[in-house]
Amino acid sequence: MLLPKEQRFDWWREVVGQGVAPTSLTSDFASDFVGSVGSLDLGRFQLTKISFPALRSERTAELIRRADPETYELTLVLGGLMGVSQGRHTTRLGAGDITLWTSSRPYSGQAMSGPLIGASRALILHLPRVLMPLPEAKIDRLLAYGLPARSGVGKVLADFLGSLVREAAALDEQSRARLGETGLDLAAAFLAHHLGAQEDVPPETRHELLLARIDMFIRENLADPALTPGAVAARHHISVRLLHQLFRQRRETVAASIRRQRLEGCYTDLAEPRLHRLPIRDIGARWGLRNGAAFSRMFRAAYGITPGERRRATHAADTMSAFPVHNQVHE
């Protein structure tokens, strides 16, 4: 939406108040505000993507009495610098940090921006307090703390939230609702990890976290030809039998998932102009498929064409698009 610059901040402030919680917002950039906000419906949950220049925010007791969605706001910082205070704690956050605050208590926040750090950007997962599977007294210990999301459980959660945004257009309502439940499980596991309260996490939540870790491990190791169900199970200290049991809820086996993702990588690379001179067998090897004949058979079975046909078709299309089209007038 493109608005006159004098209306942008008021519009942005109203949308944020409706999508997150009523909050007092002020900014030195209000007269020429450049920001964005968008939401993804996840069934019982909601994910907000937000971007803004330097500003100050405050949620007062009066605003809470006026309207309270009674949520925990799990915020992943994507860029810029932010600070948040709630209760007796204040923290400063940068890209790759997660913090948690609740709409039911007063808080204040500040975002900084500039040529070196850019605008502040974040993803906010809105979690109804009543649905959290951890004791509220324990969760509240983490309010306004900076929790790193660059490795381990935090990275699993951050990657999951990022993938929701990237794939939003391809998700139907049922899929979004199902993924919202997964988001709750991962958020609970992440918080339990920082509380040392893993025993409070339900078994199904622990399974969701394990599956998310397995998915990330597979994605990061597709180029390794030794990536097999046995290797995946060993890396996560579980039996192959348990690994297959975890995948029963899905439409494909572990081996089928690895094969599909490898072939998808090859399919994309074969259309990449920068890789046009790379031999097709090397394209397969880049994704862990080192047997050229087997790669060709699997590719044809999946897509109905050979790798060479995929490359020639995309190359021909690129070549045609390089020539301008002239309209001719015949008298």
Side-chain angles (χ1 to χ4, degrees):
M1 177 183 295
L2 186 61
L3 294 171
K5 63 180 183 179
E6 65 273 11
Q7 298 179 18
R8 293 176 196 160
F9 185 60
D10 287 341
W11 173 86
W12 190 88
R13 184 166 49 187
E14 181 178 350
V15 173
V16 169
Q18 294 173 349
V20 182
T23 307
S24 173
L25 297 167
T26 58
S27 174
D28 294 338
F29 297 89
S31 61
D32 190 9
F33 192 82
V34 178
S36 65
V37 59
S39 295
L40 179 63
D41 179 31
L42 299 172
R44 298 193 294 174
F45 313 96
Q46 188 178 52
L47 180 66
T48 296
K49 183 179 181 181
I50 192 168
S51 173
F52 45 90
L55 56 75
R56 294 165 297 281
S57 61
E58 185 176 13
R59 183 158 165 78
T60 63
E62 171 61 29
L63 289 171
I64 293 170
R65 285 192 294 271
R66 189 183 306 172
D68 182 14
E70 298 187 354
T71 54
Y72 284 113
E73 306 294 339
L74 188 143
T75 303
L76 168 65
V77 181
L78 301 177
L81 293 175
M82 303 182 197
V84 62
S85 298
Q86 190 160 58
R88 298 180 179 180
H89 199 262
T90 298
T91 191
R92 185 164 175 163
L93 308 158
D97 290 330
I98 286 178
T99 194
L100 185 76
W101 53 276
T102 176
S103 66
S104 301
R105 297 184 187 178
Y107 84 90
S108 62
Q110 184 175 8
M112 292 139 276
S113 63
L116 296 180
I117 60 175
S120 292
R121 297 179 294 112
L123 296 177
I124 305 174
L125 182 61
H126 312 286
L127 300 166
R129 289 166 52 195
V130 70
L131 296 180
M132 291 296 291
L134 298 172
E136 187 170 317
K138 289 188 176 182
I139 296 178
D140 288 353
R141 297 178 199 167
L142 296 178
L143 295 177
Y145 274 78
L147 309 173
R150 300 171 186 85
S151 62
V153 184
K155 189 174 189 310
V156 171
L157 175 58
D159 286 353
F160 173 78
L161 296 179
S163 68
L164 286 178
V165 173
R166 289 190 300 272
E167 302 300 326
L171 299 174
D172 59 27
E173 182 178 355
Q174 185 177 9
S175 297
R176 293 197 306 271
R178 185 169 61 249
L179 290 169
E181 302 298 326
T182 299
L184 172 66
D185 289 339
L186 294 179
F190 171 73
L191 298 175
H193 170 75
H194 284 281
L195 289 166
Q198 287 87 344
E199 71 280 358
D200 292 326
V201 178
E204 57 271 19
T205 297
R206 291 196 291 269
H207 286 167
E208 286 292 344
L209 176 60
L210 179 56
L211 272 171
R213 284 175 168 168
I214 289 169
D215 287 339
M216 185 170 68
F217 175 77
I218 289 174
R219 286 196 304 271
E220 293 177 347
N221 291 275
L222 290 169
D224 184 357
L227 183 66
T228 63
V232 173
R235 176 63 178 79
H236 293 86
H237 310 291
I238 60 176
S239 68
V240 175
R241 180 181 179 184
L242 176 56
L243 178 64
H244 288 310
Q245 288 177 344
L246 290 170
F247 267 71
R248 279 180 185 170
Q249 61 184 284
R250 300 185 170 183
R251 293 178 294 178
E252 58 186 5
T253 64
V254 186
S257 177
I258 294 172
R259 181 172 60 251
R260 173 183 54 78
Q261 292 181 69
R262 282 173 165 165
L263 290 173
E264 288 173 349
C266 294
Y267 189 86
T268 299
D269 281 0
L270 287 166
E272 174 55 57
R274 294 181 300 105
L275 301 176
H276 183 67
R277 295 186 180 277
L278 190 67
I280 287 176
R281 64 178 180 276
D282 291 347
I283 294 288
R286 279 166 57 89
W287 293 94
L289 301 171
R290 295 189 177 179
N291 185 318
F295 165 45
S296 184
R297 286 196 301 271
M298 286 189 290
F299 193 94
R300 188 182 186 97
Y303 299 110
I305 57 174
T306 67
E309 289 170 337
R310 162 66 173 167
R311 168 171 277 177
R312 287 191 294 273
T314 54
H315 179 62
D318 290 341
T319 301
M320 289 295 294
S321 64
F323 291 92
V325 176
H326 299 284
N327 293 321
Q328 295 182 343
V329 178
H330 299 279
E331 297 182 357

mmCIF file of all heavy atoms in Angstrom, residues 30-47:
data_model
loop_
_atom_site.group_PDB
_atom_site.id
_atom_site.type_symbol
_atom_site.label_atom_id
_atom_site.label_comp_id
_atom_site.label_asym_id
_atom_site.label_seq_id
_atom_site.Cartn_x
_atom_site.Cartn_y
_atom_site.Cartn_z
ATOM 1 N N ALA A 30 8.239 10.168 11.936
ATOM 2 C CA ALA A 30 6.792 10.103 11.709
ATOM 3 C C ALA A 30 6.354 10.903 10.487
ATOM 4 O O ALA A 30 5.401 10.532 9.799
ATOM 5 C CB ALA A 30 6.056 10.592 12.954
ATOM 6 N N SER A 31 7.040 12.013 10.176
ATOM 7 C CA SER A 31 6.618 12.857 9.068
ATOM 8 C C SER A 31 6.962 12.265 7.704
ATOM 9 O O SER A 31 6.408 12.684 6.691
ATOM 10 C CB SER A 31 7.259 14.244 9.190
ATOM 11 O OG SER A 31 8.678 14.133 9.140
ATOM 12 N N ASP A 32 7.861 11.289 7.675
ATOM 13 C CA ASP A 32 8.219 10.626 6.416
ATOM 14 C C ASP A 32 8.557 9.176 6.725
ATOM 15 O O ASP A 32 9.670 8.705 6.510
ATOM 16 C CB ASP A 32 9.403 11.338 5.756
ATOM 17 C CG ASP A 32 9.657 10.840 4.332
ATOM 18 O OD1 ASP A 32 8.812 10.081 3.810
ATOM 19 O OD2 ASP A 32 10.705 11.177 3.765
ATOM 20 N N PHE A 33 7.564 8.475 7.237
ATOM 21 C CA PHE A 33 7.763 7.129 7.789
ATOM 22 C C PHE A 33 7.813 6.089 6.669
ATOM 23 O O PHE A 33 6.995 6.105 5.750
ATOM 24 C CB PHE A 33 6.613 6.793 8.738
ATOM 25 C CG PHE A 33 6.847 5.570 9.575
ATOM 26 C CD1 PHE A 33 7.589 5.636 10.735
ATOM 27 C CD2 PHE A 33 6.302 4.346 9.198
ATOM 28 C CE1 PHE A 33 7.789 4.512 11.515
ATOM 29 C CE2 PHE A 33 6.495 3.223 9.955
ATOM 30 C CZ PHE A 33 7.239 3.295 11.123
ATOM 31 N N VAL A 34 8.792 5.184 6.761
ATOM 32 C CA VAL A 34 8.910 4.075 5.814
ATOM 33 C C VAL A 34 8.939 2.783 6.607
ATOM 34 O O VAL A 34 9.923 2.465 7.294
ATOM 35 C CB VAL A 34 10.174 4.192 4.944
ATOM 36 C CG1 VAL A 34 10.274 2.996 4.000
ATOM 37 C CG2 VAL A 34 10.173 5.487 4.159
ATOM 38 N N GLY A 35 7.851 2.045 6.569
ATOM 39 C CA GLY A 35 7.758 0.787 7.308
ATOM 40 C C GLY A 35 6.803 -0.156 6.624
ATOM 41 O O GLY A 35 6.114 0.214 5.667
ATOM 42 N N SER A 36 6.750 -1.376 7.099
ATOM 43 C CA SER A 36 5.832 -2.370 6.543
ATOM 44 C C SER A 36 5.377 -3.304 7.648
ATOM 45 O O SER A 36 6.052 -3.466 8.673
ATOM 46 C CB SER A 36 6.513 -3.177 5.426
ATOM 47 O OG SER A 36 7.591 -3.942 5.947
ATOM 48 N N VAL A 37 4.221 -3.904 7.441
ATOM 49 C CA VAL A 37 3.704 -4.893 8.386
ATOM 50 C C VAL A 37 2.780 -5.832 7.623
ATOM 51 O O VAL A 37 2.008 -5.409 6.762
ATOM 52 C CB VAL A 37 2.963 -4.209 9.566
ATOM 53 C CG1 VAL A 37 1.798 -3.359 9.077
ATOM 54 C CG2 VAL A 37 2.485 -5.243 10.575
ATOM 55 N N GLY A 38 2.907 -7.114 7.888
ATOM 56 C CA GLY A 38 2.054 -8.116 7.261
ATOM 57 C C GLY A 38 1.869 -9.291 8.194
ATOM 58 O O GLY A 38 2.731 -9.576 9.026
ATOM 59 N N SER A 39 0.737 -9.974 8.079
ATOM 60 C CA SER A 39 0.420 -11.080 8.987
ATOM 61 C C SER A 39 0.098 -12.349 8.224
ATOM 62 O O SER A 39 -0.448 -12.300 7.113
ATOM 63 C CB SER A 39 -0.766 -10.710 9.883
ATOM 64 O OG SER A 39 -0.436 -9.636 10.738
ATOM 65 N N LEU A 40 0.438 -13.473 8.833
ATOM 66 C CA LEU A 40 0.135 -14.791 8.287
ATOM 67 C C LEU A 40 -0.722 -15.538 9.293
ATOM 68 O O LEU A 40 -0.318 -15.739 10.445
ATOM 69 C CB LEU A 40 1.431 -15.561 8.008
ATOM 70 C CG LEU A 40 1.282 -16.982 7.445
ATOM 71 C CD1 LEU A 40 0.608 -16.954 6.071
ATOM 72 C CD2 LEU A 40 2.641 -17.666 7.357
ATOM 73 N N ASP A 41 -1.912 -15.943 8.872
ATOM 74 C CA ASP A 41 -2.827 -16.672 9.741
ATOM 75 C C ASP A 41 -2.370 -18.114 9.871
ATOM 76 O O ASP A 41 -2.195 -18.819 8.874
ATOM 77 C CB ASP A 41 -4.240 -16.609 9.157
ATOM 78 C CG ASP A 41 -5.245 -17.373 9.998
ATOM 79 O OD1 ASP A 41 -5.052 -17.449 11.229
ATOM 80 O OD2 ASP A 41 -6.211 -17.918 9.433
ATOM 81 N N LEU A 42 -2.187 -18.572 11.120
ATOM 82 C CA LEU A 42 -1.733 -19.939 11.390
ATOM 83 C C LEU A 42 -2.743 -20.666 12.264
ATOM 84 O O LEU A 42 -2.380 -21.333 13.234
ATOM 85 C CB LEU A 42 -0.361 -19.914 12.078
ATOM 86 C CG LEU A 42 0.785 -19.267 11.291
ATOM 87 C CD1 LEU A 42 2.031 -19.147 12.164
ATOM 88 C CD2 LEU A 42 1.094 -20.064 10.026
ATOM 89 N N GLY A 43 -4.002 -20.563 11.936
ATOM 90 C CA GLY A 43 -5.027 -21.225 12.730
ATOM 91 C C GLY A 43 -5.220 -20.515 14.060
ATOM 92 O O GLY A 43 -5.694 -19.386 14.132
ATOM 93 N N ARG A 44 -4.824 -21.175 15.143
ATOM 94 C CA ARG A 44 -4.959 -20.593 16.478
ATOM 95 C C ARG A 44 -3.867 -19.557 16.772
ATOM 96 O O ARG A 44 -3.880 -18.939 17.842
ATOM 97 C CB ARG A 44 -4.915 -21.691 17.544
ATOM 98 C CG ARG A 44 -6.044 -22.707 17.433
ATOM 99 C CD ARG A 44 -6.134 -23.567 18.670
ATOM 100 N NE ARG A 44 -4.953 -24.429 18.849
ATOM 101 C CZ ARG A 44 -4.747 -25.188 19.929
ATOM 102 N NH1 ARG A 44 -5.618 -25.167 20.924
ATOM 103 N NH2 ARG A 44 -3.675 -25.961 20.008
ATOM 104 N N PHE A 45 -2.961 -19.384 15.834
ATOM 105 C CA PHE A 45 -1.822 -18.496 16.042
ATOM 106 C C PHE A 45 -1.696 -17.531 14.866
ATOM 107 O O PHE A 45 -2.375 -17.674 13.857
ATOM 108 C CB PHE A 45 -0.532 -19.318 16.205
ATOM 109 C CG PHE A 45 -0.684 -20.460 17.157
ATOM 110 C CD1 PHE A 45 -0.974 -21.745 16.696
ATOM 111 C CD2 PHE A 45 -0.578 -20.264 18.528
ATOM 112 C CE1 PHE A 45 -1.145 -22.793 17.568
ATOM 113 C CE2 PHE A 45 -0.748 -21.313 19.412
ATOM 114 C CZ PHE A 45 -1.035 -22.580 18.942
ATOM 115 N N GLN A 46 -0.798 -16.596 15.018
ATOM 116 C CA GLN A 46 -0.561 -15.618 13.963
ATOM 117 C C GLN A 46 0.917 -15.247 13.962
ATOM 118 O O GLN A 46 1.558 -15.169 15.016
ATOM 119 C CB GLN A 46 -1.417 -14.367 14.187
ATOM 120 C CG GLN A 46 -1.377 -13.365 13.037
ATOM 121 C CD GLN A 46 -2.269 -12.176 13.302
ATOM 122 O OE1 GLN A 46 -2.185 -11.531 14.349
ATOM 123 N NE2 GLN A 46 -3.148 -11.866 12.359
ATOM 124 N N LEU A 47 1.459 -15.031 12.764
ATOM 125 C CA LEU A 47 2.842 -14.601 12.611
ATOM 126 C C LEU A 47 2.844 -13.249 11.908
ATOM 127 O O LEU A 47 2.214 -13.084 10.865
ATOM 128 C CB LEU A 47 3.628 -15.627 11.789
ATOM 129 C CG LEU A 47 5.113 -15.325 11.546
ATOM 130 C CD1 LEU A 47 5.894 -15.362 12.858
ATOM 131 C CD2 LEU A 47 5.695 -16.333 10.543
#
